[in-house]
Amino acid sequence: GTVPTESTDVLIPAGTVHSSIITTSAQSKNLMIATGASLIVNSNGILQLHGDLLNNGAFEDNGTLDIAGNDNVTIPGGTYTNLKISGGNILNIDAPLTTTGNLDLINGKIFLGDNDFTIGNAGTITNQSSSSYFVINGTGKLIQNNIGSGGKSGNIIFPVGTSSQSYTPLTLNNALGAADNFSISMSDGVYSNYSGFNPIGSPLNSSAVKKTWYINEGITGGSNATLTLQWNQEDELPGFNRSAMFMSRYNGTNWVPGPLGTASGNNPCNGRRNNIS
């Protein structure tokens, strides 16, 4: 009989005659939707969540789900419209998740685990930073759809890192190539050989940035991309020379170096390579 606050655990029970609908704004701590129950966030609605969301029924997000808690939070997989990460929390997902609108990374980190996070054809990511990004800590990938001619043009940032202390994003511009869906994952270290995404042997111990970015396009061919990679000073192995650097592509057997260039920035640093098919 009361309006929930940020410290109220909320249950949408089974057997309710009508769906619960948020038309303006509401908040709760932990929110559980029971089997057979439903919760709808209308297009102008905002649900501010300070705890976990447990959805055993139907959750329809047509507005904005704001993850505002400052503890570890788990959100079930599925499709959301607008998602905001604002509480400085760690967000975990338990199944593949898609946002069709805007993902607003104000303050917090999304740990992918073994689940993919997809930004839909018209989706965007905003406010990414060294305190708000995706942590690649399993087989899960960050996927952004519809990048290229006829789709999303300009510089599209994939805000990723291999830990909560290591922000090493990738920027992809495919304005000259056919629109496609691109997936990104990462691992620490650089190796002489790989089997798929799995390194073989021991990592290099000199003259490289100790990060590997894995980039896949949905449809093979048709891309003409410019890639910019960002790393931190502590990612540089002994002997790495920023004024004589090159970005290399692994072709399944060997590393193929790109043109010699100079890194920009100091800490963080950036390297760039054009005309990647």
Side-chain angles (χ1 to χ4, degrees):
T2 61
V3 176
T5 69
E6 66 180 52
S7 59
T8 307
D9 289 334
V10 174
L11 168 67
I12 310 294
T16 51
V17 177
H18 302 290
S19 297
S20 300
I21 301 175
I22 297 171
T23 57
T24 54
S25 63
Q27 59 182 331
S28 75
K29 191 176 181 182
N30 297 308
L31 171 63
M32 184 176 123
I33 304 171
T35 303
S38 65
L39 174 63
I40 299 171
V41 181
N42 276 359
S43 58
N44 293 321
I46 301 173
L47 171 59
Q48 190 176 78
L49 188 66
H50 293 264
D52 292 334
L53 171 60
L54 179 60
N55 179 23
N56 292 321
F59 178 66
E60 184 177 331
D61 169 33
N62 300 310
T64 299
L65 176 61
D66 179 5
I67 311 300
N70 55 13
D71 297 322
N72 288 9
V73 174
T74 298
I75 298 298
T79 300
Y80 300 81
T81 300
N82 300 306
L83 191 62
K84 180 187 291 186
I85 313 299
S86 65
N89 52 297
I90 290 174
L91 176 65
N92 301 286
I93 58 176
D94 62 6
L97 188 150
T98 297
T99 56
T100 60
N102 183 52
L103 171 63
D104 192 357
L105 289 173
I106 295 175
N107 188 15
K109 299 180 177 74
I110 301 174
F111 281 67
L112 291 181
D114 293 331
N115 300 299
D116 294 344
F117 194 113
T118 300
I119 308 299
N121 285 356
T124 55
I125 301 176
T126 56
N127 291 317
Q128 65 282 335
S129 70
S130 59
S131 61
S132 301
Y133 59 92
F134 290 87
V135 176
I136 308 294
N137 62 324
T139 60
K141 301 176 291 295
L142 172 59
I143 302 169
Q144 296 203 58
N145 291 349
N146 197 32
I147 299 176
S149 178
K152 301 171 191 172
S153 60
N155 293 325
I156 307 299
I157 299 176
F158 288 76
V160 294
T162 56
S163 76
S164 59
Q165 288 80 42
S166 179
Y167 180 49
T168 50
L170 176 152
T171 301
L172 186 149
N173 188 320
N174 190 40
L176 299 177
D180 207 339
N181 304 334
F182 291 87
S183 66
I184 304 297
S185 61
M186 283 195 68
S187 65
D188 289 319
V190 179
Y191 295 75
S192 297
N193 295 287
Y194 293 78
S195 175
F197 289 172
N198 300 309
I200 298 173
S202 299
L204 304 182
N205 56 21
S206 66
S207 304
V209 170
K210 54 182 179 180
K211 300 287 180 180
T212 302
W213 289 262
Y214 303 98
I215 308 164
N216 271 335
E217 55 186 356
I219 300 173
T220 301
S223 296
N224 185 354
T226 296
L227 289 178
T228 303
L229 305 180
Q230 178 177 308
W231 66 91
N232 304 301
Q233 185 174 340
E234 57 266 28
D235 300 323
E236 298 174 354
L237 292 169
F240 177 74
N241 185 353
R242 294 180 197 164
S243 63
M245 59 138 280
F246 49 87
M247 289 168 53
S248 296
R249 179 182 67 86
Y250 189 73
N251 66 2
T253 305
N254 301 298
W255 284 105
V256 179
L260 195 65
T262 300
S264 60
N266 182 22
N267 191 22
C269 306
N270 293 277
R272 181 175 175 176
R273 182 171 172 178
N274 302 323
N275 306 122
I276 299 178
S277 63

